[in-house]
């Protein structure tokens, strides 16, 4: 009967369990059973039916899981094969277990050819001392980053950036290392070329800044030379006049203390115009002292501009610097420009006087260039208090600025001047100085025509 039951089970498997074992077994018995025997036999067959159904269900689930596992394995394999980076898997002793196709192509061999070889054997001899560091990470958070070269069929490879991470089994025990490598030789060479180009650009920028400084110095010297020329010429003329007066007084004193009589002395006094000489002497001395004082003031201004300490902030008289800078800027430029000052009294800013002077000279110098060719060129210099700041405006009646120029005015090397007349660094340097002083520098077109530059600095 057991054999008949097993035969019935096989038939049930073949027909897909369309009917139960109990029904098939009961229908195929050649003889009748007692009621107790029949009940026992029916219970056995029922249990066999349940076990058989469970086995079929488990087999179906196992087949589904095997299919999913195969698909997952195929997916992982396809991903590994598609990875362009070099992938190397090592055991805990640093022996190679598997490599991906990118590593095979780099090394020029198959995965089984390098299996169980030490990782150090795959590296260039000069980099093999770093193999221990690559496979020595213990914790999952320890990621080693190194740059090495591999041994290939054609000699040492290009430089690779290698990341080494620890591999663990499901229980958390360290079982090896996974290394990923990406070529960076070309990137390194590109970076070095970029660095060289950047260094070259920095040198060119420094040269242009020095040229701009020399141009500013030239404008300053031209203004100072013109400012000094008047009092020095005045002093020079007075000294010549005083020298002539000295000779006339010497002749008169010789006659006075000599053997000449009174009539001869009187005649000589009239001839040498001693009385007029004495009357003029005081004004000559006074004029010479005034010229010397003006020269001394110019020199003092130069000392203030040149020898202020880099970190020293001081209160600066706005009106004095504006008028001095305007005078020096206009003296260094040909042609006549009408200057108008609209200044609130007793304004002061905090900063370095030399740098403040440099900004103003640059702005006025640009304004003079902007009004060149105008029928009545004019520049207005105004200063107003705005809360805790002082706003200084340099406005001209030139042609104004284009919208594109306004956006680029304070960029280095941008200039609207013809080639050879500007480096494009004056406004950039001025903008940087204003920012360093805690202020700002902006530009806009005026409704009535022309442009206006506004310098804002903290009040002193």
């Amino acid at each position: 009967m057991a054999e008949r039951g097993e035969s019935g089970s096989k038939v049930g498997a073949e027909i897909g369990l369309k009917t139960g074992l109990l029904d098939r077994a009961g229908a195929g018995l050649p003889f009748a059973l007692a009621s107790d025997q029949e009940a026992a036999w029916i219970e056995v067959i029922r249990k066999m039916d349940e076990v058989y159904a469970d086995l079929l269900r488990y087999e179906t689930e196992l087949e589904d899981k095997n299919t999913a596992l195969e698909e997952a394995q195929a997916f992982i394999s396809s991903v590994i094969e598609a990875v362009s980076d070099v992938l190397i898997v090592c055991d805990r002793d640093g022996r190679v277990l598997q490599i991906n196709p990118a590593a095979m192509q780099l090394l020029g061999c198959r995965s089984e050819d390098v299996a169980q070889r030490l990782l150090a054997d795959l590296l260039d001899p000069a980099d093999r001392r770093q193999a221990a560091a690559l496979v020595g990470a213990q914790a999952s958070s320890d990621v080693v980053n190194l740059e090495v070269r591999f041994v290939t069929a054609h000699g040492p490879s290009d430089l690779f950036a290698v990341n080494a991470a620890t591999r663990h089994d499901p229980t958390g025990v360290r079982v090896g290392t996974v290394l990923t490598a990406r070529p960076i030789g070309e990137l390194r060479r590109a970076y070095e070329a970029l660095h060289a180009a950047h260094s070259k650009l920095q040198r060119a920028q420094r040269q242009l800044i020095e040229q701009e400084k020399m141009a500013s110095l030239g404008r300053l010297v031209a203004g100072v030379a013109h400012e000094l020329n008047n009092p020095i010429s005045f002093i020079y003329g007075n000294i010549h006049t005083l020298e002539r007066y000295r000779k006339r007084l010497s002749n008169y004193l010789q006659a006075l203390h000599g053997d000449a009589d009174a009539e001869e002395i009187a005649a000589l006094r009239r001839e040498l115009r001693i009385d007029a000489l004495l009357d003029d002497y005081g004004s000559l001395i006074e004029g010479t002292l005034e010229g010397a004082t003006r020269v001394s003031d110019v020199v003092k201004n130069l000392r203030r501009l040149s020898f202020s300490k880099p970190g020293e902030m001081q209160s600066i008289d706005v009106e004095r610097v504006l008028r001095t800078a305007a005078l020096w800027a206009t003296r260094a430029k040909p042609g006549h420009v009408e200057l108008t000052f609209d200044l609130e009294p007793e304004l002061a800013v905090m900063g370095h006087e030399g740098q403040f002077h440099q900004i103003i000279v640059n702005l006025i110098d640009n304004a003079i260039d902007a009004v060149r060719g105008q029928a009545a060129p004019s520049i207005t210099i105004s200063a107003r208090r705005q809360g805790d700041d002082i706003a200084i405006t340099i406005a001209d009646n030139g042609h104004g600025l284009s919208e594109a120029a306004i956006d680029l005015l304070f960029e280095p090397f941008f200039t609207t001047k013809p080639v050879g007349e500007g480096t494009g660094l004056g406004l950039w340097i001025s903008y940087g100085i204003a920012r360093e002083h805690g202020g700002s520098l902006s530009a806009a077109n005026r409704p009535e025509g022309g442009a206006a530059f506004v310098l804002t600095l903290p009040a002193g």
Side-chain angles (χ1 to χ4, degrees):
M1 293 181 64
E3 294 176 357
R4 188 181 298 270
E6 291 175 0
S7 176
S9 297
K10 293 179 181 179
V11 172
E14 293 175 356
I15 64 176
L17 287 180
K18 293 183 179 180
T19 58
L21 287 173
L22 183 61
D23 296 334
R24 294 195 298 276
L29 289 175
F31 53 86
L33 297 174
S35 60
D36 293 341
Q37 292 177 335
E38 183 178 1
W41 178 246
I42 291 173
E43 182 64 23
V44 170
I45 294 177
R46 181 179 291 111
K47 293 295 184 180
M48 292 176 62
D49 193 13
E50 292 176 358
V51 171
Y52 186 73
D54 289 340
L55 287 175
L56 287 178
R57 187 174 66 255
Y58 293 153
E59 183 178 1
T60 302
E61 292 178 356
L62 182 60
E63 290 178 355
D64 292 341
K65 290 181 179 180
N66 285 336
T67 301
L69 182 61
E70 290 175 357
E71 291 176 353
Q73 186 175 4
F75 174 76
I76 294 174
S77 299
S78 66
V79 170
I80 293 176
E81 291 177 359
V83 171
S84 59
D85 291 350
V86 171
L87 181 65
I88 301 175
V89 181
C90 299
D91 63 12
R92 61 170 56 190
D93 298 323
R95 295 186 179 277
V96 178
L97 299 178
Q98 186 177 356
I99 61 176
N100 71 335
M104 299 180 198
Q105 183 178 0
L106 171 68
L107 301 174
C109 61
R110 296 173 299 175
S111 180
E112 52 268 25
D113 295 335
V114 296
Q116 296 305 314
R117 291 181 59 186
L118 291 173
L119 175 65
D121 296 339
L122 306 183
L123 302 181
D124 185 63
D127 296 327
R128 287 178 182 173
R129 56 186 175 82
Q130 302 187 72
L134 288 172
V135 297
Q138 298 295 324
S140 58
S141 58
D142 296 338
V143 177
V144 181
N145 299 296
L146 293 174
E147 295 180 359
V148 299
R149 290 178 173 83
F150 291 93
V151 176
T152 71
H154 307 289
S157 69
D158 208 347
L159 193 64
F160 276 73
V162 180
N163 298 329
T166 304
R167 185 169 63 94
H168 297 86
D169 64 10
T171 63
V173 177
R174 175 181 175 272
V175 294
T177 307
V178 177
L179 298 95
T180 57
R182 176 172 296 179
I184 60 170
E186 189 67 28
L187 181 63
R188 175 66 59 85
R189 287 188 290 273
Y191 174 78
E192 291 175 352
L194 180 61
H195 179 70
H198 182 255
S199 300
K200 185 177 180 180
L201 180 61
Q202 285 183 322
R203 290 194 297 271
Q205 181 178 344
R206 285 194 295 268
Q207 292 175 355
L208 287 173
I209 290 176
E210 292 300 323
Q211 291 178 10
E212 179 66 23
K213 288 181 179 180
M214 293 303 296
S216 298
L217 180 61
R219 292 192 295 268
L220 175 65
V221 170
V224 171
H226 194 282
E227 185 68 14
L228 290 175
N229 186 59
N230 288 337
I232 290 177
S233 298
F234 189 61
I235 293 172
Y236 189 75
N238 286 355
I239 293 297
H240 272 282
T241 302
L242 288 172
E243 174 63 16
R244 291 198 306 272
Y245 286 179
R246 184 195 67 80
K247 291 180 180 179
R248 286 159 60 181
L249 283 174
S250 178
N251 292 336
Y252 178 72
L253 289 175
Q254 287 179 1
L256 184 63
H257 295 289
D259 297 332
D261 54 22
E263 292 183 0
E264 291 177 345
I265 291 175
L268 185 60
R269 182 169 184 163
R270 290 191 298 272
E271 179 183 349
L272 298 177
R273 302 177 61 189
I274 297 301
D275 294 333
L277 179 153
L278 293 175
D279 291 339
D280 197 26
Y281 223 94
S283 61
L284 286 173
I285 296 296
E286 183 179 350
T288 302
L289 289 174
E290 181 182 353
T293 301
R294 289 180 61 185
V295 171
S296 177
D297 290 340
V298 173
V299 172
K300 287 179 181 178
N301 287 334
L302 285 175
R303 289 178 63 83
R304 276 198 297 269
L305 295 179
S306 303
F307 299 105
S308 59
K309 297 179 181 179
E312 180 183 359
M313 301 286 283
Q314 57 185 345
S315 180
I316 305 168
D317 184 351
V318 171
E319 181 174 359
R320 177 177 59 81
V321 174
L322 289 181
R323 292 187 180 276
T324 301
L327 181 63
W328 290 1
T330 53
R331 297 298 190 191
K333 290 284 186 177
H336 172 74
V337 177
E338 181 182 355
L339 287 178
T340 303
F341 290 89
D342 181 14
L343 312 174
E344 285 187 10
E346 299 181 357
L347 293 180
V349 296
M350 288 298 297
H352 306 288
E353 184 168 335
Q355 295 179 344
F356 178 40
H357 181 276
Q358 181 181 1
I359 295 177
I360 302 302
V361 169
N362 278 335
L363 295 180
I364 297 176
D365 183 73
N366 288 338
I368 294 173
D369 290 335
V371 299
R372 186 182 300 168
Q374 295 294 98
S378 65
I379 297 173
T380 301
I381 303 172
S382 59
R384 294 283 184 276
R385 180 179 292 274
Q386 294 182 352
D388 295 332
D389 298 325
I390 304 298
I392 300 163
T393 303
I394 312 294
D396 62 70
N397 66 340
H399 297 292
L401 301 165
S402 66
E403 292 299 326
I406 291 178
D407 294 335
L408 298 172
L409 273 177
F410 303 110
E411 295 292 330
F413 311 115
F414 176 80
T415 179
T416 58
K417 297 179 181 180
V419 177
E421 293 190 16
T423 61
L425 292 174
L427 287 177
W428 176 59
I429 293 173
S430 299
Y431 180 82
I433 294 173
R435 293 291 297 272
E436 289 173 2
H437 282 68
S440 62
L441 180 61
S442 60
N445 285 318
R446 303 168 65 198
E448 61 271 29
F453 285 78
V454 180
L455 170 65
T456 303
L457 293 175

